[in-house]
Amino acid sequence: SGKQSLTRFAAYVSEMKCFQVELTKGYGIGEFREDLKKLFFMTGCDGDPVVFLFADTQIVVESFVEDINNILNSGEVPNIFANDEWEKILRDVRPHCKAAGIAETKDNIKAHFVHRVRENLHIVLAMSPVGSAFRVRCRMFPSLINCCTTDWYDKWPAEALQSVSHQFFSPLELGEHRDTILPGLCDMASAIHSSVGAMAERFYAEQKRRFYVTPKSFLELIALYLGALDEKRAEMDVGISRLSIGTKKLNETNEMVQNMQEELAALQPELEKKSAETNVLIEQVTKDSQAAAEKKAKVAVEEAAVKKTAEEVQAQADEAQADLDAAMPALAAAVDALKSLNKNDITEIKGFKSPPPLVMKVMEAVCILLGAKPDWDSAKKVLGDTQFLQKLMDYDKDNIAPAAIKKILAYYDDPEFQPEVVAKVSKAATSLCMWVRAMKVYDEVAKVVEPKRQALASSTAMLEAEKAKLKKVQDELSAVIANVEQLQKTCDEAVAEKQRLEEAADTTSKRLVRAGKLTGGLADEGVRWTATVGELNIERVNLIGNVFLSAAFIAYLGFFTAPYRKLLVDDWIEQCREMQIPTSDSYSLVRSMGEPVKIREWNIWGLPVDEYSTENGILATKGKRWPLAIDPQGQANKWIRAMEQRNSSRSVKGNDATILRTLENAIRMGTPVVLEDVGEELDPSLEPVLQKQIFKQGGRSLIRVGDSDVDYNEAFRFYMTTKLPNPHYLPEVCIKVTLINFTVTLEGLEDQLLGLVVREERPDLERTKNDLVVSLAADKKQLQELEDKILRLLSASEGNILDDEVLIDTLSDSKVTSGVIQGRVKEAEETEAQINETRLGYKPAATRGSILYFTIADLGNIGEMYQFSLDYFNELFLVCIQKSDKSPELDARLSNIMEYASLTIYNNVSRGLFGEHKITFSFMMATAIMRQRGDISDVEWALFLMGAGIVDEATLPARPAHAEPDQWTLICTISQRVEALHEFARSYGASPAEWQALTDAEQPWGALLPATFAGLSSWHRLLVMKCFRPEKLIECVGEFIAVEMGRAYIEQLPLDLHVVFPDAQPHTPLVFVLSAGADPMSTIIRYATDVDYLKRMHAISLGQGQGPIAAQLIKDACASGDWIVLQNCHLAKSWMPKLEKIVESFSGNASIHPSFRLWLTSMPAKYFPVPVLQASVKMTFEPPKGLRANMIQSYLADPISDPEFFDRCQKQPQWRRMLFGLCFLHAWLQERRKYGPLGWNIPYEFNESDLRISVRQLQMFLDSYDETPLAALNYLTAECNYGGRVTDDKDRRTLVTAVLNIYCPQILEDGYRLSASGMYVVPTDALDSHEATVEYIRQWPPVAKPEVFGLHENADITKDLGEVDLMLKTMLLTQAQSGGGGGGGGGGG
């Protein structure tokens, strides 16, 4: 209702911090007090104003509330701080005391700390008033009332609902009728919320299932609607767009076909003309090309000759150049040396008066080359020339006089005339030496090169002449080629034009072919698409209402069963029409939100095929909150596991210690988690996951799980399932999850059982059916994908679609494939229809099985220990199919299956029921079968169970004097409502004497009815019995069952472990459900002895501290193959979850020894694990009902049933007579209890142990004394064995008297009467053997008369009426309270 949201908002407005505890796995009082310390430090030390928001869902242990109570009362929690923490507080608060002028003593500081806490701390407790917890806490912790302001949050009024919805719905695009639709949506949102609240109350009244409607559901409705409407509109817009484009493309193609045909006709003449012109051009080009080729060949020859000459000239030039290149390095070196000389160097040489010999030689050589005299004076003159160096550099080396060269040779060959040698004398002389030597080398080379140069010049001149000649020829060739190229260009253009025309014609032809493919292949699709677009446009408008109803369905209706869902949805549709909200005429959630292909996959994965289950599948996948499936039969769990198996789903139990670690990994990896077997309360540490408290941090999506932040993967899915058949989830749970009632439906189970029957009877048929389902699902999925592909390609195509050959071929192939698949689908659907028709022949057996299961399932409403799983039932039903008599005739075979299954299931189930419920179960079976056949109407059934109800007696005929008021009201009501008895009231009113025989009969069922009613059916006869003899109704019900079903359904077979034990497996516990005072240990021990297993049987009585010992015993026995007996499981409530885990670990555990068995005994207890009950072989152990049955039970029980003990007594005649009397006394004492205060003032729990000790004492005293000590036996039996339980003095007197009538001398006489009428006597011959005695007792009547117990006959009336009332009330627990009411039937007779 918004308590926490408003608190946070108020804290924000008030600029206060909002503090909440964060629950983690294992969070307890220690962690809670640490959080309180943080709170105290914030408010007391730091002085921060804080709101402490604490919700009742965070109360892990009640001591939390005690601490809150202390804070409210005094502002502190006693002894919460350790000494070191107080030191910190004293240090931090001391400055505040000083500032406030308070003396800084230790006590003052502590008091000021508490004062600051009370000033700054504001506590808000968010409590739910639902259930008893809040009331109990208010009584236990008075500060919750005295120190708090109670702010009671009522339901949101209609105005608030409308206001909120208007706020969210206003931005919606609602079309042209917005002014009408928007107010209608707001009113509908409010109306839906209110109608679901009313239906929840009705649901509880009729089905005893509690569901809470909260504003959270209303907000989810709005959020779902806004999100789903946008999503569906976008989805539909894409579909409409694709279909429209596809239709448009097809229409455009059809229009283009005529134009293309005309185009093609016009192109033909032009194409022929252009072809002729092109051919002429091609001929001319060919002729000119040949001439050009000849010319080109001639030029090529000349080019080759010129090329050869050029190569020879080039070779000569290269040779001359090579010779020159040999002299060039020395010349270059000499020039570089000259360049390095400067004026000072020349002056240096010139300055020699008497030059060194080498310098003189150098200068002489220089003078010779320059044409001067080779002496020092001439040398000095030469050196004195300012242009000396320049002359050397510019020296005409190509024209040196031969005489000069000849003179130079003398110097050149001189060993000392080397630059390296001269360098030792003068740098300048060295350079001049190098120059002289270079000139000599160059002159030698020039003499060789010159002839070559001249030859080269001649060759070059000849080459130029040849080139000129060649150029002329080439120019002529170029002109020819240019002419040819021009012709070729013209020709190419003509050819290109021709090709263009040909391509245009070809393109048009291909377009026509493709158009034929497109329009021909998709013509039928085009018609369908056009129609579909129209339908989708209408549906798009209807989305406003359809999606709204779907959102409401998902937000509110998961918890309801199919009939209630239908009532609400029909009402909503009618209101939508009244408010002019667009909706489809045949709205359903499956059509609106379901995807056929996906639903088919769900069915393959195990989701039942009925519409209710499909709705549940949509609820589980479309809801905003994580789903919690109420799944007593485990079908949702199997479906979810199969569906999510491909996503690597993980399964954990509700009591696993590793839940948070599993969740962390799954959230991080994006894998689904299935949390199984949750209880009525969810672990508080799951809160962040359930509330999807995702937050952003640094661009990452995180969620806090336990005490760590985990990266949130959007692929994560969380499912919860519970096996509780009728859980009561408080509003705090309802707002966090989407509750989905996955209880199996009659239709869904019928289909499953039909598959089971057909699989056994016609395995080929069922195999074909299953294969068809899979192939049909795959084919329809592929069809959908192909259609989507065709439409996607059409809508994505650009330009002229007929030019896209790949697209057309793809569309054509897709259409062909689609056609093949459609043919296959059609054929498969026809085959499926034939198979279904054949399968339906076996439907009666499946229907019977379904009826039987729901009858068994209803037993859970009667007793918490009557839990039977669907898997158990399916296995049992399969065994019945296999073991029932075969027959070639289908009708006979079905009859055999139904009869065998009914009786076998009755026997297996009834042994786990208490005696008082066995006939109720038989009757429920019989009437359920008849109601299904139509033999009993709902009106007749209600009349039988609830009587006439509230009837205006003024409208009834006048009551005859002989009729009781209630009786007459019932008779008249039956006459009005039951066609077969419409004369009933008139007949009884006019002729009461005709009904006297029925009224007086001791056994009314066989009494004659008036002739008019002689042909009544057994059911209508039972209605008559209810009117006249209500006290005999149970007896009549038994006769009715015998007529309709057979005597076997009213006989209570004694418990025989030799019959029961083979039904148990190593993984299947055997559970004894006990009544007060019953102890099955002797029966178990006797059976263990019979099968020689007593030494390997270990028994332990559960209680304080025995759990771990029992767990170790089971573990050891699983390996060794021993038997373990856990007694009194009801005394170990806290250990029951551990027992559940142990039993669940048996399933699929191949290491368990095949001989291992686990025996459990327990009184009925709500906390006994349901999965253990469902997986077990159940037996009730109680005192038998009836004097005869009690006597037989005593003789078949230990120790009397032991032949050695029975025959051991030395005084056999006395022993057997007195034993018979003692067993009769035991039965007499127990049966007397059924008369209530008439029998015993206080109901005592006499049990077998009382009889056992009395029997042993009787044998001991008879063997020990010659004279039978009757007084001692009387005292021990009346005062000790049985009398030890008796507290009322009148009851004690009755007991003593009864014992005296047994332990008396007369019992040893023949024909001793045990009752005044002589009906019950101590036999003579029948005592010869144990078997004879038992057979004699079997001859007694099943029901003893009151005279046996010393009571008046009318005592039976009171007792019988009480039993009848109890039976009818018990049966009403299994029925929906849809009508009738009031009294239980007519008056006396």
Side-chain angles (χ1 to χ4, degrees), residues 992-1008:
E994 293 182 0
W995 297 91
Q996 195 61 40
L998 174 61
T999 305
D1000 297 339
E1002 190 170 328
Q1003 295 181 333
W1005 184 260
L1008 290 175

Side-chain angles (χ1 to χ4, degrees), residues 1223-1235:
C1223 290
F1224 181 84
L1225 170 69
H1226 179 72
W1228 187 89
L1229 294 174
Q1230 288 193 313
E1231 284 300 299
R1232 195 176 169 88
R1233 283 182 306 187
K1234 68 185 180 183
Y1235 291 98

Side-chain angles (χ1 to χ4, degrees), residues 949-977:
I950 301 173
V951 177
D952 184 1
E953 295 186 7
T955 62
L956 302 178
R959 178 171 62 85
H962 54 268
E964 295 290 334
D966 287 345
Q967 179 190 32
W968 180 247
T969 300
L970 183 58
I971 289 172
C972 290
T973 305
I974 289 175
S975 298
Q976 292 169 0
R977 300 182 184 177

Side-chain angles (χ1 to χ4, degrees), residues 1340-1381:
W1340 286 3
V1343 181
K1345 293 184 178 179
E1347 62 90 15
V1348 180
F1349 306 100
L1351 301 173
H1352 189 271
E1353 284 187 3
N1354 286 348
D1356 255 357
I1357 297 176
T1358 304
K1359 178 215 23 131
D1360 290 344
L1361 283 174
E1363 290 179 350
V1364 169
D1365 188 53
L1366 179 61
M1367 183 188 78
L1368 292 177
K1369 286 180 177 176
T1370 299
M1371 293 187 68
L1372 277 172
L1373 292 173
T1374 69
Q1375 308 297 315
Q1377 310 296 312
S1378 55

Side-chain angles (χ1 to χ4, degrees), residues 432-703:
L432 293 173
C433 177
M434 290 172 66
W435 179 80
V436 171
R437 292 182 70 82
M439 291 301 105
K440 191 270 176 192
V441 172
Y442 184 82
D443 183 70
E444 284 180 1
V445 173
K447 285 178 181 176
V448 176
V449 171
E450 185 58 31
K452 292 180 180 178
R453 278 184 173 175
Q454 291 174 2
L456 178 61
S458 174
S459 298
T460 302
M462 186 175 65
L463 179 62
E464 290 300 324
E466 290 295 325
K467 281 184 177 179
K469 184 179 175 183
L470 178 62
K471 184 176 184 307
K472 181 180 177 185
V473 179
Q474 284 176 336
D475 289 343
E476 292 172 2
L477 179 61
S478 296
V480 173
I481 290 174
N483 185 46
V484 173
E485 286 178 349
Q486 183 60 41
L487 282 172
Q488 187 65 48
K489 182 179 179 184
T490 307
C491 183
D492 289 346
E493 288 174 355
V495 170
E497 180 64 16
K498 177 187 174 185
Q499 287 178 343
R500 187 187 65 76
L501 292 173
E502 287 176 344
E503 286 173 2
D506 184 57
T507 300
T508 305
S509 300
K510 287 181 178 177
R511 282 180 178 176
L512 283 170
V513 173
R514 291 172 195 150
K517 284 185 181 179
L518 188 63
T519 56
L522 299 178
D524 53 338
E525 299 291 338
V527 175
R528 186 170 63 81
W529 291 347
T530 303
T532 305
V533 168
E535 291 170 5
L536 287 179
N537 282 320
I538 296 171
E539 282 300 309
R540 193 185 187 285
V541 176
N542 290 340
L543 280 179
I544 295 171
N546 291 347
V547 174
F548 185 74
L549 292 175
S550 300
F553 197 114
I554 295 169
Y556 287 105
L557 301 190
F559 190 79
F560 293 97
T561 53
Y564 294 88
R565 289 181 183 179
K566 187 175 186 307
L567 286 171
L568 282 166
V569 171
D570 289 348
D571 179 48
W572 295 348
I573 292 172
E574 189 59 37
Q575 289 187 59
C576 280
R577 287 173 182 157
E578 290 174 3
M579 297 180 185
Q580 299 180 26
I581 299 172
T583 49
S584 298
D585 294 333
S586 55
Y587 165 79
S588 81
L589 178 71
V590 176
R591 276 192 291 273
S592 177
M593 302 297 283
E595 300 171 32
V597 173
K598 186 169 285 187
I599 290 170
R600 277 273 186 175
E601 289 179 343
W602 290 349
N603 297 148
I604 292 169
W605 289 325
L607 186 71
V609 297
D610 58 295
E611 186 168 2
Y612 178 75
S613 298
T614 305
E615 290 172 353
N616 287 342
I618 293 170
L619 290 170
T621 54
K622 298 284 187 182
K624 289 282 186 184
R625 295 170 282 180
W626 297 128
L628 195 167
I630 299 166
D631 186 32
Q633 292 86 22
Q635 295 203 122
N637 192 286
K638 289 179 183 174
W639 166 63
I640 292 168
R641 281 185 164 197
M643 177 175 65
E644 296 292 3
Q645 186 176 15
R646 57 185 177 174
N647 297 323
S648 307
S649 63
R650 296 286 306 278
S651 297
V652 289
K653 299 293 182 184
N655 51 9
D656 277 0
T658 60
I659 289 178
L660 290 184
R661 187 164 64 251
T662 302
L663 275 174
E664 281 184 32
N665 294 333
I667 290 171
R668 192 178 288 111
M669 302 300 294
T671 55
V673 172
V674 184
L675 179 58
E676 302 172 347
D677 299 339
V678 300
E680 291 187 341
E681 295 179 358
L682 299 180
D683 192 328
S685 60
L686 297 176
E687 180 90 2
V689 180
L690 296 176
Q691 299 279 35
K692 297 185 181 178
Q693 294 174 353
I694 304 164
F695 59 93
K696 292 282 186 181
Q697 190 176 82
R700 296 159 58 200
S701 295
L702 300 173
I703 188 169

Side-chain angles (χ1 to χ4, degrees), residues 120 135 264 303 314 404 580 591 710 926 1025 1031 1358 1373:
N120 291 314
R135 183 172 62 253
L264 189 59
E303 278 182 341
Q314 187 63 44
Q580 299 180 26
R591 276 192 291 273
V710 181
M1025 297 300 141
E1031 80 283 0
T1358 304
L1373 292 173

Side-chain angles (χ1 to χ4, degrees), residues 1063-1080:
D1063 291 344
Q1065 301 296 328
H1067 61 273
T1068 310
L1070 295 102
V1071 177
F1072 282 95
V1073 184
L1074 311 178
S1075 65
D1079 183 7

Side-chain angles (χ1 to χ4, degrees), residues 227-381:
L229 184 62
D230 287 343
E231 182 183 328
K232 283 289 179 183
R233 277 180 171 172
E235 181 183 315
M236 195 166 282
D237 287 343
V238 170
I240 291 172
S241 173
R242 284 182 176 177
L243 288 169
S244 300
I245 291 172
T247 308
K248 180 184 175 186
K249 296 274 186 184
L250 291 178
N251 292 337
E252 288 175 352
T253 303
N254 287 327
E255 291 172 3
M256 289 164 60
V257 168
Q258 183 62 36
N259 296 334
M260 285 190 293
Q261 288 172 341
E262 293 174 1
E263 255 180 63
L264 189 59
L267 279 173
Q268 289 301 329
E270 189 178 346
L271 183 60
E272 291 172 4
K273 178 184 174 185
K274 188 60 68 176
S275 295
E277 291 175 355
T278 305
N279 290 336
V280 171
L281 279 171
I282 289 173
E283 288 177 12
Q284 183 64 42
V285 169
T286 305
K287 182 179 176 183
D288 290 350
S289 294
Q290 288 175 353
E294 292 172 3
K295 188 79 172 173
K296 190 174 183 181
K298 185 179 177 183
V299 171
V301 173
E302 293 182 6
E303 278 182 341
V306 171
K307 184 178 180 184
K308 184 178 180 184
T309 303
E311 288 174 355
E312 291 173 355
V313 171
Q314 187 63 44
Q316 291 175 357
D318 290 344
E319 185 180 350
Q321 188 62 41
D323 292 339
L324 281 173
D325 289 345
M328 293 313 288
L331 182 62
V335 172
D336 289 341
L338 290 175
K339 286 180 180 178
S340 66
L341 295 178
N342 54 32
K343 189 176 180 181
N344 293 333
D345 295 327
I346 300 301
T347 304
E348 176 194 334
I349 296 174
K350 213 166 51 167
F352 286 125
K353 291 180 181 181
S354 178
L358 281 177
V359 174
M360 188 63 207
K361 282 183 181 181
V362 170
M363 288 310 300
E364 286 175 358
V366 172
C367 288
I368 291 169
L369 286 173
L370 291 178
K373 289 180 180 182
D375 55 35
W376 181 242
D377 291 334
S378 298
K380 287 172 72 175
K381 287 178 184 178

